[in-house]
Amino acid sequence: MHESSAAPPESTTPRRATWFECFSDLVFAAAVGQITHRVGSHPDVGSVAAAAGLFVPLWWAWVLYAVHANRADRDTAAHRVLTGCGLAGIVGMAVFAGAVGQSRAVDAGFVIAYLGARAGVAALYAWDSRQNPTLRPVFLSFTTGSAASAVFWLGGLAFGSQVERYTAWGIAMTMELALPLIVNRRLARVEQETDHLRERFGLFTIVILGESVLGFTNGLATARTAGWAAVTAAAAFALTVGLWWSYFNGSGIRPGSHTELARTGKLLHVFTFGHLPMLLALALTGASMGMAVTGGGSHLNTTAADCIVGGVIVYLVSVSVVRAAFTGIREGVVVIRLVTAVLVAALLPIATHVPVAGLLTVLAALVIGSVIVETPAQRQRLAELG
């Protein structure tokens, strides 16, 4: 695509995700797969905790690239080159993610790859701030915060104890997540393209849901033609469809439905950070789908049951909180989803005692049922939005 220094012409057509952004999501998808594979290969509390811890910096790296592209990227050659260099860091994260915790060398590889990915974002802001003065506060805040957190990321490698190392990494990650909140006023002039931002988060949600599809299809391929596996896979597919339907249902995907996200502020932060537990829950649910299908029709172990049932609960609560920020806690769809979360939570005490196909079937029925029940409220919301 021809690169020009002139400002892009105004257009009433909503901006859409570019093909290069979709390609970038594939790179992140590979890293997500390596992280969630830890749960499938070793279904215990330690693997779940490790996967959750590794998912956060990966998700945050995706947010940084998505938000930058929303603010400044017009898919020029320079943006593609700089983003491609940063994505090399994401590839490195994918390579090392499956073995983090096994040796200091692997941990160092993961950290250096992550810092390389963040350097790519800094380079993009440096490039764009030359022509767009409103991005200079973003560039200065981002590079200062990145340098400060890098001290803890790299410093953690000096510790021989994993507890101390991961504590230092936790401090670094907390600093990074807190930075947008701390410098919120400095970024007041920076505007977002709301429909494009909403679309980007939706596309990444599909990437995460793809892990569920891979989970139960790989499980079915492993189990081959066993009748119990087919039934369980069908239930897992229905649950995945229900989760997809719930996220993309109704008024939340209507163009212009998130106009409040145009400027940095509370709603933008709720929308962004609300997706972290939501997507992590979907990732852990998907990570356990393969175990569910290959389990011989038996019951799930505690870890897999907690990941699947608990993941659905966290997803429903998170998506309700994000929606409530725009509509209010008493809005019909919010209430229905919270009630559904309570009903799903009632399954936790018996999740390991119910045949896995039955458990997934009930979960699918609850999620899809909630989508059907909330349809009138979705229509009412659409009418209110005009």
Side-chain angles (χ1 to χ4, degrees):
M1 179 176 291
H2 175 69
E3 182 179 351
S4 172
S5 59
E10 294 293 330
S11 173
T12 58
T13 303
R15 183 183 165 201
R16 305 300 302 271
T18 66
W19 294 119
F20 187 67
E21 287 177 291
C22 294
F23 168 75
S24 300
D25 284 350
L26 288 179
V27 179
F28 281 93
V32 171
Q34 291 299 316
I35 290 172
T36 57
H37 179 71
R38 296 179 68 118
V39 178
S41 58
H42 300 285
D44 54 36
V45 175
S47 295
V48 173
L54 293 169
F55 183 85
V56 176
L58 178 65
W59 169 82
W60 187 237
W62 179 87
V63 169
L64 295 176
Y65 279 98
V67 171
H68 166 267
N70 181 264
R71 290 169 171 167
D73 189 356
R74 292 298 180 269
D75 200 24
T76 63
H79 284 115
R80 290 183 178 183
V81 170
L82 292 174
T83 302
C85 292
L87 290 178
I90 303 302
V91 173
M93 293 176 70
V95 170
F96 292 108
V100 168
Q102 295 182 10
S103 72
R104 185 178 298 184
V106 172
D107 290 0
F110 182 84
V111 167
I112 293 171
Y114 175 62
L115 295 179
R118 287 182 62 83
V121 181
L124 285 164
Y125 277 122
W127 177 268
D128 293 312
S129 63
R130 300 177 311 150
Q131 299 176 5
N132 187 350
T134 62
L135 292 177
R136 289 172 187 167
V138 181
F139 169 65
L140 293 175
S141 298
F142 182 82
T143 52
T144 302
S146 296
S149 65
V151 172
F152 288 89
W153 282 112
L154 296 173
L157 297 173
F159 295 112
S161 167
Q162 288 188 344
V163 174
E164 294 174 333
R165 184 179 309 163
Y166 299 155
T167 299
W169 290 2
I171 294 172
M173 196 71 248
T174 301
M175 292 170 61
E176 294 180 17
L177 296 176
L179 184 63
L181 307 177
I182 296 172
V183 301
N184 184 65
R185 291 186 178 180
R186 294 189 62 188
L187 309 182
R189 295 175 58 196
V190 181
E191 293 190 355
Q192 324 292 328
E193 296 195 30
T194 57
D195 285 334
H196 173 260
L197 189 67
R198 175 191 51 78
E199 181 187 31
R200 293 296 294 120
F201 274 85
L203 289 172
F204 196 59
T205 300
I206 290 179
V207 167
I208 302 300
L209 284 170
E211 294 303 313
S212 292
V213 177
L214 285 174
F216 66 73
T217 53
N218 287 338
L220 188 59
T222 300
R224 298 186 182 278
T225 58
W228 51 263
V231 173
T232 304
F237 177 63
L239 175 58
T240 304
V241 170
L243 292 170
W244 170 87
W245 196 358
S246 174
Y247 183 90
F248 291 98
N249 193 32
S251 60
I253 62 169
R254 179 184 183 274
S257 62
H258 290 80
T259 55
E260 301 94 332
L261 299 179
R263 287 191 177 275
T264 298
K266 181 180 71 173
L267 286 177
L268 178 61
H269 296 320
V270 171
F271 180 82
T272 301
F273 289 107
H275 273 78
L276 174 54
M278 185 193 309
L279 297 179
L280 175 58
L282 292 177
L284 292 177
T285 299
S288 302
M289 289 296 191
M291 291 185 289
V293 175
T294 58
S298 61
H299 308 79
L300 291 173
N301 63 28
T302 301
T303 300
D306 288 345
C307 282
I308 293 177
V309 180
V312 173
I313 295 170
V314 173
Y315 163 78
L316 288 170
V317 172
S318 300
V319 77
S320 298
V321 169
V322 172
R323 186 180 178 96
F326 294 87
T327 65
I329 193 67
R330 296 183 179 179
E331 193 251 347
V333 176
V334 174
V335 172
I336 291 168
R337 292 179 177 182
L338 290 176
V339 170
T340 305
V342 172
L343 295 176
V344 173
L347 297 174
L348 272 176
I350 61 172
T352 57
H353 305 289
V354 179
V356 60
L359 178 65
L360 293 179
T361 299
V362 173
L363 285 171
L366 287 172
V367 174
I368 294 175
S370 73
V371 174
I372 295 173
V373 172
E374 73 186 28
T375 298
Q378 293 280 16
R379 290 175 178 170
Q380 180 179 351
R381 178 66 177 169
L382 283 170
E384 292 173 353
L385 292 171

